[in-house]
Amino acid sequence: MSKKILDIRELKREFQMGSETVRALKGISFEVEAGEFVTIMGSSGSGKTTLLNILGCLDKPSIGDYFLDGVDVKKLSRDELAQLRNRKIGFVFQAYNLLPRTSALENVELPLLYNREISVSERRDRAIHALEAVKLAERLDHTPSQLSGGQQQRVAIARALVNEPVMILADEATGNLDSRTSYEIMSLMQELNSQQGKTIVFVTHEPDIASFSSRTIQLRDGRIQKDTRNTDQRSAKEVLAGLPITDDY
Amino acid sequence: MNFFNLIRIAYKALQRNKLRAFLTMLGIIIGVASVIAMVAIGQGSKQSIHDQLSSMGSNMITVLPSSNLNGGVRIAGSSFQTLTQKDIVALKKAQYITELSPSITSKGQAINGALNWPTTIQGVSPDYLDIRKLSLKDGIAFTEDDILTSAKVCLIGQTVIDNLFPNGENPIGKVIRFNKIPFQIIGILNPKGQNAFGQDQDDILIAPYTTIQKRILATIYYQNIYASAASEQVTDAAVSEMTQILRDSHRLRDSEDNDFTVRTQAELINTLSSTSGLLTVLLTVIAGISLVIGGIGIMNIMYVSVTERTREIGLRMSIGARGKDIMLQFLMEAILISITGGIIGVVLGIVSSNLVTLTLSWPTIVSESSVLLSFVVCAITGIFFGYYPAQKAARLDPIEALRYE
């Protein structure tokens, strides 16, 4: 259980904006082990987005090392990074980013299309399985416009699960949802974390959401301000049950 | 990502915006359809000219007397008298020639009772019918015996029949007069219609050449000699052989010009074909331009599509698509549009060619090469005009693309 999924050492990231150098990350080190549910918090300008891009292998650090599941990201080319994302990371975005006019099943199949080792029938089976895991087994043929926001985000989570990544990387995944639906999503995340042992890194600025995770990393001005284990992890399921039932959808 | 997946992804993307895909295709459809139809019309007219000339006998060789210096004065060929029986005898030994006929014509009035008609009588040998690919609808042809006896018999063309026998009676066995000489009609020629120059080929009487020479024109010269080369391929060899034989027969010294001209149908066919070939090229160029315009339409839409789908591209990249995969996807979309447009265009082109034949009765030939060519051009158009938008898509930064509004 103590396998290191993320291993970040003295990570720095600088951007050249004209003649000025913007130092977004000023030296960050932390490790995430398999099965952890980490939230990364911070106000805007704290370097949260930059860190997320690097964690998601969309960007590379200027200085410092980043090992994702033992792979040194720094040495990889653009195409190799794409392949790494395909095999090891499942993204969940704030705006869902589902393909319009495309069924839930096909949206979930999408990452597998870029994995040439997976056959057509296996692709379909795994997509159906992933949709079952997010409790959307009856909505396979629905297009995003026929689904509610929460359902769309669940399709997106299924898409993140389908390639069996080592880490689910969520970027403000509840940012577009009302609190009830947010709790539903968090409940699903907790379930995936506890029952299936999925490692989850969840970027958010809401302390309420962070309280559902097992660990919170607080960023401020490009440095880690606080890295705390959450001893008092709340259960989203219970919170959900405690909510007054006002609207019945 | 394998090829099948690629097609699937591109097809799905196009399916999401069917109307736009179709409108983009329209340029290609019209371009290809017009290429196919234009080339078909061009080829059709070329072929019909060729056929018409071939129906006169494509391996036919004509010898004409030609002008020659005569004391410093050039004299018109037609009034020159150089071709005689001696030449025919000499030419009979030629190995590349299978059939041979002298020809002599006279204009005059053909008379049947109270009816008369100005026409031409042509004196030839029995070989002439084969050389010119003439056939008889009824009756028989004259023979070598008729030549020897200068028999007063003739074959009659449809136009002359129409004018001398307007009531539909059978002309065979009837006697008509031509310049006061009575001729018995022994055969009726199958109608050939107009030739490529608009001359009525059925306004004619054909008789033994000896009859014309002795009974009408009182001359020993021929106006032409017709011959058939053994095949179309040996026509050139036959021409040089004939030229040599005639030079020997006319006792021309090496320094002297030919006093005759040997012509083949091939020259005429080439001249007329090249004219219609030029027409084909012009039509094809115009159609080709419309294909290019169709291609620019594809490029335009692909650029719009790349911009519009920036977030989709960002998403695909974030879930593992390499720049190459994105590039191939957009390229494949462009190719799918152009190839599908090409297929529809080919079908439409063939249909419209047939419609032209049906309604305007212009001959059209849809050649395989034009179908193949427009197909290849379509694929190239798709690749060429799809390349730059696809490259633009492939070079997007996934981080920026994901945040694109």
Side-chain angles (χ1 to χ4, degrees), chain B residues 127-394:
Chain B
D127 276 356
Y128 182 74
L129 296 184
D130 282 340
I131 298 172
R132 288 292 305 272
K133 305 268 193 292
L134 297 173
S135 55
L136 292 180
K137 191 164 81 177
D138 201 359
I140 50 161
F142 49 82
T143 61
E144 287 296 336
D145 283 348
D146 294 322
I147 303 285
L148 289 175
T149 58
S150 307
K152 290 178 278 186
V153 293
C154 74
L155 309 175
I156 188 167
Q158 191 59 45
T159 306
V160 186
I161 294 174
D162 291 343
N163 287 287
L164 294 186
F165 301 94
N167 300 324
E169 59 266 50
N170 186 0
I172 293 202
K174 297 271 169 37
V175 175
I176 58 169
R177 283 182 298 142
F178 187 89
N179 288 6
K180 295 174 188 162
I181 317 283
F183 281 92
Q184 188 180 31
I185 299 169
I186 57 169
I188 300 171
L189 294 164
N190 265 324
K192 287 200 86 174
Q194 293 185 350
N195 69 9
F197 312 102
Q199 288 169 329
D200 184 355
Q201 299 177 86
D202 301 323
D203 188 5
I204 197 146
L205 295 171
I206 292 179
Y209 65 94
T210 47
T211 313
I212 309 297
Q213 271 186 311
K214 290 176 188 163
R215 297 186 195 274
I216 297 179
L217 290 174
T219 174
I220 60 157
Y221 297 107
Y222 306 132
Q223 285 162 351
N224 297 310
I225 293 172
Y226 290 100
S228 274
S231 72
E232 215 174 326
Q233 286 74 31
V234 299
T235 309
D236 287 342
V239 167
S240 46
E241 186 184 29
M242 284 174 79
T243 306
Q244 198 50 51
I245 291 172
L246 287 172
R247 282 186 71 91
D248 290 348
S249 156
H250 292 180
R251 297 175 194 280
L252 294 175
R253 269 174 272 135
D254 287 348
S255 60
E256 282 177 303
D257 286 344
N258 290 344
D259 58 356
F260 56 89
T261 309
V262 183
R263 286 204 186 130
T264 61
Q265 291 294 97
E267 291 164 22
L268 202 57
I269 289 173
N270 285 344
T271 311
L272 290 171
S273 295
S274 73
T275 313
S276 109
L278 188 70
L279 189 77
T280 310
V281 169
L282 278 176
L283 292 172
T284 314
V285 165
I286 293 170
I289 289 171
S290 66
L291 249 183
V292 169
I293 294 172
I296 293 172
I298 290 187
M299 189 156 166
N300 191 10
I301 288 298
M302 291 314 290
Y303 265 124
V304 171
S305 179
V306 166
T307 309
E308 199 185 65
R309 285 155 65 193
T310 300
R311 278 179 80 104
E312 177 192 324
I313 294 164
L315 169 78
R316 286 182 186 273
M317 285 178 161
S318 72
I319 59 173
R322 293 162 300 172
K324 200 168 74 185
D325 297 324
I326 299 293
M327 166 116 184
L328 286 174
Q329 176 189 341
F330 280 87
L331 208 52
M332 187 52 83
E333 281 181 32
I335 293 170
L336 267 187
I337 288 179
S338 63
I339 295 272
T340 313
I343 293 172
I344 300 175
V346 165
V347 172
L348 208 66
I350 293 172
V351 168
S352 50
S353 302
N354 288 337
L355 270 179
V356 163
T357 308
L358 278 177
T359 55
L360 301 171
S361 55
W362 292 359
T364 56
I365 296 167
V366 178
S367 62
E368 284 146 30
S369 64
S370 75
V371 170
L372 207 71
L373 186 78
S374 19
F375 231 78
V376 172
V377 168
C378 267
I380 292 173
T381 304
I383 293 170
F384 184 81
F385 290 102
Y387 182 80
Y388 289 100
Q391 202 181 37
K392 188 190 170 193

Side-chain angles (χ1 to χ4, degrees), chain A residues 135 150 154 174 177-191 208-209 211-212 234-247 249:
Chain A
K135 303 176 186 70
R154 280 195 273 157
T174 56
L177 301 170
D178 61 44
S179 46
R180 187 184 183 89
T181 320
S182 295
Y183 294 143
E184 282 172 2
I185 294 297
M186 288 321 287
S187 162
L188 178 64
M189 287 282 185
Q190 282 187 331
E191 207 179 296
D208 184 35
I209 295 299
S211 65
F212 296 112
R234 286 200 292 163
S235 161
K237 215 170 187 171
E238 284 167 20
V239 175
L240 206 54
L243 278 184
I245 301 163
T246 46
D247 34 13
Y249 62 93

Side-chain angles (χ1 to χ4, degrees), chain A residues 10-248:
Chain A
E10 276 306 308
L11 189 131
K12 293 180 184 173
R13 181 72 173 101
E14 292 164 358
F15 297 99
Q16 205 68 39
M17 303 283 266
S19 57
E20 233 177 301
T21 305
V22 178
R23 298 200 290 155
L25 295 177
K26 300 169 185 168
I28 283 176
S29 303
F30 67 90
E31 291 173 2
V32 174
E33 286 176 359
E36 280 196 272
F37 187 165
V38 182
T39 42
I40 295 177
M41 288 195 64
S43 54
S44 52
S46 62
K48 204 171 43 168
T49 306
T50 309
L51 181 60
L52 175 89
N53 288 339
I54 291 174
L55 290 182
C57 299
L58 293 167
D59 195 5
K60 286 202 275 189
S62 310
I63 304 167
D65 290 315
Y66 170 30
F67 294 91
L68 171 64
D69 197 24
V71 179
D72 187 357
V73 171
K74 214 173 171 182
K75 289 183 183 149
L76 301 182
S77 69
R78 208 178 165 207
D79 283 355
E80 287 167 330
L81 281 179
Q83 182 142 357
L84 191 69
R85 292 195 292 270
N86 184 248
R87 305 294 154 89
K88 297 205 185 287
I89 301 173
F91 280 97
V92 182
F93 301 96
Q94 178 173 6
Y96 326 133
N97 282 347
L98 299 176
L99 295 187
R101 275 167 277 186
T102 304
S103 72
L105 186 66
E106 279 169 342
N107 262 298
V108 173
E109 279 182 348
L110 206 58
L112 302 181
L113 283 176
Y114 296 102
N115 185 343
R116 75 174 69 232
E117 285 154 26
I118 288 170
S119 70
V120 179
S121 60
E122 192 187 351
R123 187 195 305 152
R124 202 183 152 78
D125 288 346
R126 279 170 69 165
I128 292 172
H129 191 72
L131 279 165
E132 278 166 358
V134 299
K135 303 176 186 70
L136 280 176
E138 293 91 56
R139 297 271 197 281
L140 299 184
D141 297 325
H142 290 220
T143 59
S145 60
Q146 294 167 323
L147 297 169
S148 71
Q151 287 169 332
Q152 288 185 55
Q153 193 60 298
R154 280 195 273 157
V155 174
I157 292 171
R159 185 181 61 196
L161 287 172
V162 77
N163 58 345
E164 290 164 5
V166 297
M167 168 179 71
I168 290 176
L169 192 57
D171 178 15
E172 302 277 10
T174 56
N176 280 8
L177 301 170
D178 61 44
S179 46
R180 187 184 183 89
T181 320
S182 295
Y183 294 143
E184 282 172 2
I185 294 297
M186 288 321 287
S187 162
L188 178 64
M189 287 282 185
Q190 282 187 331
E191 207 179 296
L192 292 171
N193 177 243
S194 59
Q195 290 175 16
Q196 297 185 34
K198 297 281 176 203
T199 310
I200 298 173
V201 176
F202 201 108
V203 176
T204 181
H205 63 270
E206 293 173 66
D208 184 35
I209 295 299
S211 65
F212 296 112
S213 68
S214 62
R215 177 181 169 193
T216 304
I217 295 175
Q218 181 88 38
L219 288 185
R220 193 189 172 97
D221 297 333
R223 291 182 203 280
I224 294 179
Q225 191 191 28
K226 246 186 345 187
D227 186 352
T228 49
R229 302 253 159 221
N230 198 347
T231 47
D232 181 27
Q233 187 179 4
R234 286 200 292 163
S235 161
K237 215 170 187 171
E238 284 167 20
V239 175
L240 206 54
L243 278 184
I245 301 163
T246 46
D247 34 13
D248 46 356

